[in-house]
Amino acid sequence: MASTGTTTSPEGTGLIGGWARVHPVRAVAVAMILVSLVWRAQLASRGYLAVDDYVLIARAAEADLTPGFLLTLYNNHFMPAALLATWVVTRAVGLAYWPYVLLLTAAQAVLAVSFARLLRTLVRPGWALLVPLAVFLFSPLTLEATSWWAVGVNMLPMQIAMVLAVGAQVRYVRTGRRRHLVTLGLAVLFGLLFFEKALLVVPLVFLLTAFLFVGGPPVRAVLTTVRRYWPSWLLLTVMSLGFLALYGSRAESSLRRPDSLGEVLSFLWQLLGSTVVPGLLGGPWRWLPAGDGAPVTAPPELGRWIAWAAFLVLVVLTVRLRRVAGRAWLLLASYLTLVTALLAATRLGSIYSDVAGAVPRYVSDMVVVAALCIGVALLGLRPVPDRFAPADRADETDPATDDGDGTPAITGEAAIDDEDQDQATAAPERVAADVEGPVDPGPAPRVAVPAAAYRGHGVLHAEYDDDDLPPPVRPPAARPFDAPPQRAGAATPPTATSPAVPSADPADRTGDQTPTEPPADRPEQPAGLAAFTGGRGPDDPPPPAVLVRHREAVSAGLALALVAGGLGTAWTTARFGDEWAVKAGRTYLDTVRAELAAAPPGTVFFDQPVPGDVVPTLSAPYNRQSTFFRALPERPVFVTEAEAPSLFDPTGRIAPVRIDGPTVEPGPEQACGWKVTDGETVRMPLTGPRDDWFWVVRIGYLSSGDSTATFRFGGKEKRFPVKTGLNQIFFEFTGGGDTAELSVADPGVTLCTNEVAIGTPTPQQ
């Protein structure tokens, strides 16, 4: 199309508006993605760099781009691609925040579109598809990942890897094409280059395959999964072992043991009760500030229990309506168990133990799995035309590939690749729109629609658009974990060996068919719920009678729950933004920049730690001003010896230096104090002892000429130049004791002093 702004349909509707009317679910999904991107970018821009960001930037500013730098662990994390991205931005723009906001927003856009495509690939069409998409796009559990660079540079690539890997495995399971294994391997590798935790993608892919695509008892399902899809596991096992060997050769063990059973139980209650469940339903509604870092969850007690009640209702309702829902929730529970075990093993028994369960970033990857499982539970797995399944596996029950319950290994509920679509004949025109009402589960034969009619449009098009057309001719849907019983006397549907005869009815050829009434033994799903979830599949159990009798109340309850969840999410996100906007580091840096611009030429500084609320002491030596300011284009000059040095006070203002510590006792010479002459060494007792440590010494003196003096303290010495007249000098010194010594190299020069102080440099008030 040449233009979308002026071209209109015969009815006068623009192409974009016409597309939105034909595909309302996809149109709303696109709008949701755009809103989430703008909203989160605006929220992130309110904040600034924080804590670990400064450390990563300082390391990038002082290092050359070498393999040694990229492969160096940061806080025991393997993240070469993250270090590379930080290095490039630092060298390009220095200590700035806006490039990181742009990068986080771009990564979020890729992730959002990829996740929406995966949803359309995996689950049935229907308005309920927007629910898991909304959970994923707006979950407060992922706010840190889209606002804080040090978190997002790890978590967003990992989440992208999760989505791409799951999509590749689904395509491999359903088509048998080995090229999807390449995508699977590249997706896992991509995640591992940013974050070692991406190794959890491997068990996630296995669990998803076993729970959703293989049937039978647990042990048989695991064995069948291993046997049937062994190429995936061989590839992922080789990659995992190789990565573990590399990571293990560089990392230190971070495994810890909890101090008590009470610590474990408190952690679990905090993680599940305060973070995970409330976070999936729009919580925690209240945050606890954590300095410049992101706040932690602190939900009100009532909100916590309401969230748990709503979550349990969702689980029970979906399990009652969808047979696959139980497996979806077990998948979520299994992955959450992995994440919880890893977090407990690395955080309990440490100084972070008390808040480990309240930090959303530790479980933000779980949101991807939770949203997928919610989608499967609400809508069920998406059926696909059998002609797109592998010819040798689409409609057979072979002992080598059978699940053991008489159902085939591949059912065709799959994503279909574009090249598979191209192998079919072209259709004269596209018909119908997204299925937003009940799906006809009956076995009535229909005309197979050419693959051209399945081509998607727009950024969210799936691998095929089965929701845009009546289903093509295929055998009754058979799920690998649940083969629906065949009713006695039911008409035998067409099969691959006895294709249906095309109908002469024009309605059949155009797809304009009226759904058949459900059989008497399969009660109709409540109207509101059916329109919302896209109807029931042939193997889904009948809905509870109470839902059938009170369909209006069910619809109203659904609407109320969605509105409440949306309002809660908006409130939680707004409160997070308020906390994220308070940044001591930004205020400190702004003051320093202004002070440096106004400072006279030649101003030099002694190195000091930055305030602890900007970079904590635990990050030493990267909490030192000399490293903190290294990425500034107008960075200050730091010295170890100067006549008139300056310091940055805790607010970032420039101030002269004074020494806080003991001084020498007054000297015996009147009007001179301690007199140093004739090359002799003078011993000067201090008013108090000093431990052997890193100190700064100030000596104020009056000299008769230029020379070199030597200062001794605790068995160590320091030489410094002496100038004629009244002067002072500051220098860094390491030593300890209760007596200082001073001598002058030139016997003809006399030096008088009563001002010798050894201690800590502080800003002069």
Side-chain angles (χ1 to χ4, degrees):
M1 73 184 69
S3 171
T4 60
T6 59
T7 304
T8 59
S9 66
E11 292 77 9
T13 305
L15 290 181
I16 294 180
W19 174 84
R21 291 200 322 176
V22 174
H23 307 284
V25 176
R26 271 181 284 178
V28 175
V30 171
M32 289 170 58
I33 290 175
L34 294 177
V35 168
S36 72
L37 292 176
V38 173
W39 194 8
R40 289 187 178 239
Q42 185 273 336
L43 183 145
S45 63
R46 293 180 62 191
Y48 198 68
L49 301 169
V51 194
D52 293 287
D53 295 340
Y54 295 117
V55 180
L56 292 173
I57 292 171
R59 291 180 53 167
E62 70 181 8
D64 295 327
L65 188 59
T66 62
F69 165 70
L70 296 178
L71 297 178
T72 300
L73 302 187
Y74 172 68
N75 284 348
N76 224 29
H77 295 310
F78 181 80
M79 42 190 286
L83 296 179
L84 174 61
T86 306
W87 189 93
V88 171
V89 173
T90 300
R91 294 306 175 98
V93 298
L95 197 60
Y97 181 53
W98 64 265
Y100 300 110
V101 174
L102 291 180
L103 288 175
L104 292 175
T105 303
Q108 182 194 356
V110 172
L111 177 59
V113 173
S114 301
F115 183 82
R117 287 175 56 86
L118 177 58
L119 269 181
R120 284 179 50 81
T121 295
L122 190 62
V123 304
R124 291 174 175 271
W127 282 103
L129 182 141
L130 300 178
V131 174
L133 182 62
V135 169
F136 177 77
L137 293 177
F138 300 103
S139 173
L141 296 179
T142 59
L143 288 172
E144 286 180 87
T146 56
S147 304
W148 189 354
W149 172 250
V151 176
V153 75
N154 292 146
M155 294 309 309
L156 288 177
M158 177 183 172
Q159 292 177 1
I160 292 174
M162 295 172 71
V163 172
L164 296 180
V166 167
Q169 178 66 9
V170 169
R171 289 174 174 85
Y172 172 66
V173 165
R174 291 171 162 177
T175 68
R177 295 182 180 275
R178 297 294 176 89
R179 62 185 177 86
H180 297 304
L181 295 178
V182 177
T183 305
L184 174 62
L186 292 177
V188 175
L189 178 62
F190 173 78
L192 291 175
L193 289 176
F194 283 90
F195 196 17
E196 76 281 351
K197 189 181 177 183
L199 202 62
L200 288 181
V201 175
V202 174
L204 169 62
V205 169
F206 182 87
L207 291 171
L208 184 138
T209 305
F211 277 114
L212 300 185
F213 297 104
V214 175
V219 175
R220 181 189 300 171
V222 170
L223 295 177
T224 302
T225 302
V226 173
R227 182 186 72 248
R228 182 176 298 153
Y229 308 115
W230 65 265
S232 292
W233 319 136
L234 176 62
L235 170 67
L236 295 179
T237 299
V238 171
M239 293 184 63
S240 300
L241 292 177
F243 175 79
L244 288 174
L246 174 63
Y247 179 70
S249 65
R250 296 177 172 272
E252 298 178 359
S253 176
S254 56
L255 298 179
R256 296 177 173 87
R257 297 182 60 182
D259 296 331
S260 65
L261 177 61
E263 182 185 17
V264 175
L265 296 178
S266 176
F267 161 74
L268 292 176
W269 173 240
Q270 191 179 57
L271 181 71
L272 300 177
S274 299
T275 303
V276 173
V277 174
L280 291 177
L281 298 175
W285 309 287
R286 187 174 65 192
W287 300 94
L288 185 66
D292 263 18
V296 298
T297 61
E301 195 67 19
L302 178 61
R304 191 197 319 250
W305 289 110
I306 290 177
W308 268 98
F311 181 75
L312 292 177
V313 168
L314 175 64
V315 172
V316 172
L317 180 62
T318 53
V319 169
R320 187 63 184 85
L321 293 176
R322 301 279 187 197
R323 302 195 67 153
V324 71
R327 287 177 170 257
W329 294 122
L330 287 175
L331 170 61
L332 175 59
S334 299
Y335 186 80
L336 184 57
T337 300
L338 291 177
V339 173
T340 302
L342 178 62
L343 181 58
T346 55
R347 290 297 182 269
L348 296 187
S350 71
I351 59 175
Y352 305 105
S353 176
D354 291 341
V355 296
V359 181
R361 65 177 176 270
Y362 292 153
V363 292
S364 59
D365 54 306
M366 182 273 307
V367 176
V368 176
V369 183
L372 285 177
C373 292
I374 290 173
V376 173
L378 284 175
L379 290 156
L381 294 173
R382 179 169 186 160
V384 69
D386 287 323
R387 66 175 178 277
F388 292 140
D392 60 334
R393 303 169 70 181
D395 189 29
E396 65 176 0
T397 305
D398 190 293
T401 59
D402 183 30
D403 284 324
D405 57 2
T407 58
I410 301 298
T411 65
E413 294 190 4
I416 301 304
D417 300 319
D418 291 333
E419 73 176 44
D420 296 324
Q421 299 173 4
D422 296 338
Q423 294 174 0
T425 58
E429 60 180 350
R430 185 175 179 83
V431 293
D434 287 0
V435 173
E436 293 149 8
V439 176
D440 176 20
R446 296 174 181 170
V447 177
V449 181
Y454 287 87
R455 299 186 186 277
H457 296 276
V459 72
L460 292 180
H461 79 275
E463 304 303 329
Y464 69 106
D465 284 329
D466 186 54
D467 54 325
D468 295 336
L469 297 167
V473 175
R474 58 177 179 265
R479 300 181 186 273
F481 51 82
D482 178 35
Q486 185 75 20
R487 298 193 309 274
T492 303
T495 64
T497 57
S498 59
V501 178
S503 171
D505 188 348
D508 289 338
R509 291 195 298 271
T510 61
D512 185 16
Q513 297 177 337
T514 303
T516 59
E517 293 295 328
D521 60 342
R522 295 182 60 83
E524 181 183 359
Q525 188 168 319
L529 195 61
F532 184 64
T533 63
R536 295 188 294 125
D539 58 340
D540 289 332
V546 65
L547 298 183
V548 178
R549 289 196 304 267
H550 304 285
R551 29 183 96 178
E552 291 81 6
V554 170
S555 299
L558 286 174
L560 181 62
L562 293 176
V563 170
L567 292 177
T569 300
W571 173 267
T572 300
T573 303
R575 299 291 74 76
F576 178 93
D578 293 341
E579 298 293 342
W580 181 247
V582 180
K583 286 289 175 286
R586 174 173 51 195
T587 303
Y588 181 73
L589 271 172
D590 289 345
T591 303
V592 167
R593 287 188 172 106
E595 289 284 300
L596 288 175
T603 302
V604 295
F605 301 86
F606 274 160
D607 196 9
Q608 293 286 290
V610 299
D613 54 353
V614 177
V615 180
T617 305
L618 290 175
S619 298
Y622 294 99
N623 67 327
R624 307 290 294 183
Q625 293 170 350
S626 57
T627 56
F628 182 82
F629 296 128
R630 187 182 294 273
L632 283 177
E634 68 283 5
R635 60 180 176 270
V637 177
F638 291 92
V639 297
T640 58
E641 178 181 318
E643 294 181 0
S646 298
L647 284 178
F648 292 106
D649 69 11
T651 68
R653 297 188 179 279
I654 297 175
V657 176
R658 71 177 180 87
I659 303 302
D660 184 10
T663 62
V664 297
E665 299 282 359
E669 297 286 337
Q670 188 174 3
C672 182
W674 298 99
K675 186 175 183 180
V676 184
T677 187
D678 297 330
E680 296 180 355
T681 298
V682 176
R683 293 173 56 84
M684 302 173 290
L686 300 178
T687 57
R690 292 270 74 175
D691 294 331
D692 193 351
W693 194 245
F694 305 99
W695 308 111
V696 171
V697 177
R698 175 189 177 271
I699 301 177
Y701 63 89
L702 176 64
S703 176
S704 63
D706 296 343
S707 184
T708 299
T710 302
F711 174 81
R712 299 180 182 85
F713 184 60
K716 299 177 183 177
E717 65 179 39
K718 165 72 177 179
R719 295 179 182 272
F720 61 92
V722 173
K723 295 182 180 180
T724 303
L726 184 63
N727 296 283
Q728 68 175 359
I729 190 167
F730 295 78
F731 54 82
E732 294 180 355
F733 192 89
T734 302
D738 57 8
T739 302
E741 299 179 353
L742 189 63
S743 64
V744 178
D746 189 345
V749 174
T750 299
L751 183 147
C752 294
T753 183
N754 243 351
E755 299 180 7
V756 178
I758 305 173
T760 304
T762 59
Q764 192 176 101
Q765 301 299 326

